[in-house]
Amino acid sequence: MEKALVIIPTYNEAENIIPLIQEILKQGDCFDVLVVDDGSPDGTAKIVKEFQKSEHRVFLIERAGKLGLGTAYVTGFKYALEHSYDFIFEMDADFSHDPKYIPALLKKAEECDVVIGSRYKSGVNVVNWPMSRLILSYCANLYTRVITGMPVHDATAGFKCYRRKVLEALDLDSIHSNGYSFQIETNFLAWKKGFRICEVPIIFVDRRSGVSKMSRQIVYEAAVLVWKLKFKSLFGKI
């Protein structure tokens, strides 16, 4: 049976993490979970460690501090490759990405190399966001699509499934972006290498509890990155 690893970066997600892991594991025996925790002061890692005593499909990597979303995923990707997983998922820890969609993403990965759980593939499927946040997200994706030419409606989505060969083809150590930028960059690099990207519509619901990690710096980084990727591509550096 092919194996799939769901990577969840965490920082202060003590309220969400165990219910989320339990829902993921219910999606099938082929799914394992890797939590990459950035030294959460609320004891997220300690909670996961306790849960591991009764669940052999859950793994934990503890990092010294808040090192960022992008590096957390890169750490998880390397773990997945080292442990021979066939499919690698990424998702948020706050229940904005419903685990019930995981099997649909995996099914779509039979015909695609990167599958995105998309908020904007079939209209706008976002619940409980303020209008300002929704407009920012939608416009960021439109901006990305226009500048890069990448045929993706939701390039900033953090709910994704990769076939193993995609991550093997990427130079993971060269990826230093975070937040929205990380998602845009990995999508763009995969697309430029000829991998097929598909989108599966999902309903995105704002976090159940905890505090959003969104910041102006994340938005600014993404806005600048699309031009960097565009020019690198034009000059044959990708």
Side-chain angles (χ1 to χ4, degrees), residues 10-15 17-18 35 37-51 60 62:
T10 56
Y11 185 77
N12 286 348
E13 297 288 356
E15 295 178 75
I17 192 61
I18 298 305
V35 175
D37 186 72
D38 273 5
S40 297
D42 71 349
T44 299
K46 183 179 179 180
I47 293 170
V48 174
K49 280 182 180 177
E50 187 64 27
F51 187 71
L60 172 69
E62 294 183 81

Side-chain angles (χ1 to χ4, degrees), residues 24-209:
I24 293 170
L25 296 179
K26 288 178 184 178
Q27 304 309 312
D29 293 339
C30 68
F31 297 107
D32 291 350
V33 175
L34 171 65
V35 175
V36 182
D37 186 72
D38 273 5
S40 297
D42 71 349
T44 299
K46 183 179 179 180
I47 293 170
V48 174
K49 280 182 180 177
E50 187 64 27
F51 187 71
Q52 284 181 293
K53 294 177 181 179
S54 60
E55 182 49 70
H56 70 279
R57 290 191 286 153
V58 177
F59 305 96
L60 172 69
I61 294 177
E62 294 183 81
R63 305 201 302 171
K66 197 172 182 182
L67 303 177
L69 182 72
T71 59
Y73 275 130
V74 168
T75 297
F77 292 165
K78 290 180 177 180
Y79 179 96
L81 295 177
E82 290 168 2
H83 291 81
S84 303
Y85 285 94
D86 304 292
F87 298 94
I88 299 91
F89 286 76
E90 54 176 71
M91 67 186 297
D92 293 345
D94 59 10
F95 273 101
S96 55
H97 301 144
D98 195 323
K100 73 179 182 182
Y101 293 112
I102 289 176
L105 268 63
L106 182 62
K107 179 67 176 176
K108 193 67 174 177
E110 294 176 4
E111 59 187 83
C112 301
D113 302 305
V114 180
V115 181
I116 297 171
S118 177
R119 298 163 290 186
Y120 308 122
K121 175 64 175 175
S122 58
V124 177
N125 296 314
V126 177
V127 179
N128 291 340
W129 260 4
M131 186 58 67
S132 58
R133 178 77 182 273
L134 178 58
I135 291 172
L136 173 64
S137 174
Y138 186 85
C139 290
N141 279 286
L142 179 61
Y143 171 83
T144 299
R145 192 161 69 249
V146 170
I147 301 303
T148 65
M150 185 166 49
V152 173
H153 291 84
D154 197 355
T156 63
F159 192 12
K160 294 158 69 175
C161 174
Y162 300 87
R163 295 185 71 89
R164 176 186 179 86
K165 63 182 180 181
V166 177
L167 299 183
E168 289 176 327
L170 300 183
D171 180 3
L172 297 177
D173 290 326
S174 71
I175 301 174
H176 302 294
S177 51
N178 272 304
Y180 281 168
S181 296
F182 178 82
Q183 308 303 347
I184 294 170
E185 185 171 5
T186 50
N187 288 334
F188 188 80
L189 294 175
W191 177 57
K192 279 297 178 180
K193 288 184 177 294
F195 292 110
R196 185 181 179 194
I197 302 177
C198 297
E199 295 176 86
V200 171
I202 66 164
I203 296 175
F204 177 96
V205 181
D206 198 16
R207 66 166 41 245
R208 290 185 180 179
S209 59

